[in-house]
Amino acid sequence: MLPSLPLYIEGEVVKGFGRGSKELGCPTANYSLEVVKRMPKNVIPGVYYGWAQVDSGAVYKMVANVGWCPFYQNKEMSVETHLMHEFDSDFYGSNLKIVLVGYLRDELNFDSQGSLIAQINEDIQNADQKLDLPEAKEIKNQYFYKKAD
Ligand code: ADP
Ligand code: RBF
Ligand code: MG
């Protein structure tokens, strides 16, 4: 069963495995296990799109992976957010607010890292389009104070 969306999550950005930017060319801001465990139990693993804000900065489009990453077979569930914006520096220790707006797909296993990277890039394009729809922008305005983009 799909969880009821939109779903709002907030917490500190912590160190993950360091694989996102180095191996996949796609940095993902990770939450601590404590934040992950506080989420509603009916959240199903998968790739979501939505909105994200670091501290009191601008609100950006994002894609988030929720689950165990079958390709890497993680032992614990993680929630990782890729913000669709180039930041000048890392923001470990910052507060990250996200709103999961919609579900893109189930988590998958892949036969190569190249196919995972290709799929992630497709996810980013799909998310970008879906977040341009008025109903997605409406959710951004409901959850975040209005700021110039
Ligand atoms: P880790 O395994 O520690 O999560 P990553 O390689 O996934 O490492 O990189 C994530 C870190 O990169 C984030 O915690 C954040 O500090 C930084 N970062 C820089 N740009 C972005 C971005 N656009 N989206 C997410 N994180 C970013
Ligand atoms: N990991 C998987 O094992 N399977 C997936 O289908 C998958 N999809 C992802 C989609 C997006 C948009 C992002 C940002 C990550 C995805 N990941 C997936 C997680 C990826 O393996 C993880 O970000 C790296 O292992 C770095 O922690
Ligand atoms: Mg990460």
Side-chain angles (χ1 to χ4, degrees):
M1 193 192 81
L2 288 178
S4 52
L5 297 175
L7 176 67
Y8 177 86
I9 305 168
E10 177 173 1
E12 189 189 343
V13 176
V14 301
K15 285 255 174 198
F17 295 106
R19 281 194 301 245
S21 23
K22 276 195 219 95
E23 283 185 32
L24 302 175
C26 175
T28 58
N30 292 50
Y31 283 126
S32 66
L33 194 56
E34 195 194 325
V35 172
V36 174
K37 288 192 165 157
R38 248 192 273 134
M39 296 203 310
K41 295 291 166 276
N42 66 342
V43 170
I44 64 160
V47 181
Y48 292 82
Y49 62 92
W51 301 106
Q53 182 184 38
V54 178
D55 294 328
S56 55
V59 180
Y60 296 111
K61 293 175 173 175
M62 65 77 162
V63 276
N65 185 77
V66 176
W68 287 266
C69 304
F71 185 71
Y72 293 100
Q73 303 186 339
N74 291 347
K75 295 281 175 287
E76 298 285 359
M77 179 162 138
S78 61
V79 175
E80 308 174 42
T81 304
H82 172 70
L83 292 93
M84 292 157 67
H85 175 75
E86 290 268 340
F87 289 86
D88 293 333
S89 54
D90 285 349
F91 45 84
Y92 290 111
S94 294
N95 186 261
L96 177 69
K97 301 184 181 85
I98 66 173
V99 179
L100 305 181
V101 171
Y103 190 80
L104 283 177
R105 63 173 177 88
D106 291 351
E107 275 197 301
L108 299 169
N109 202 347
F110 295 89
D111 45 19
S112 71
Q113 208 175 57
S115 352
L116 170 60
I117 294 170
Q119 180 62 59
I120 291 178
N121 288 330
E122 203 181 307
D123 295 334
I124 292 172
Q125 283 179 24
N126 288 338
D128 190 35
Q129 285 183 7
K130 289 179 189 287
L131 289 164
D132 280 337
L133 297 173
E135 53 265 41
K137 293 206 169 129
E138 181 63 31
I139 291 173
K140 172 181 174 178
N141 293 335
Q142 280 166 14
Y143 282 83
F144 299 100
Y145 291 111
K146 278 188 187 173
K147 277 182 179 263
D149 284 310

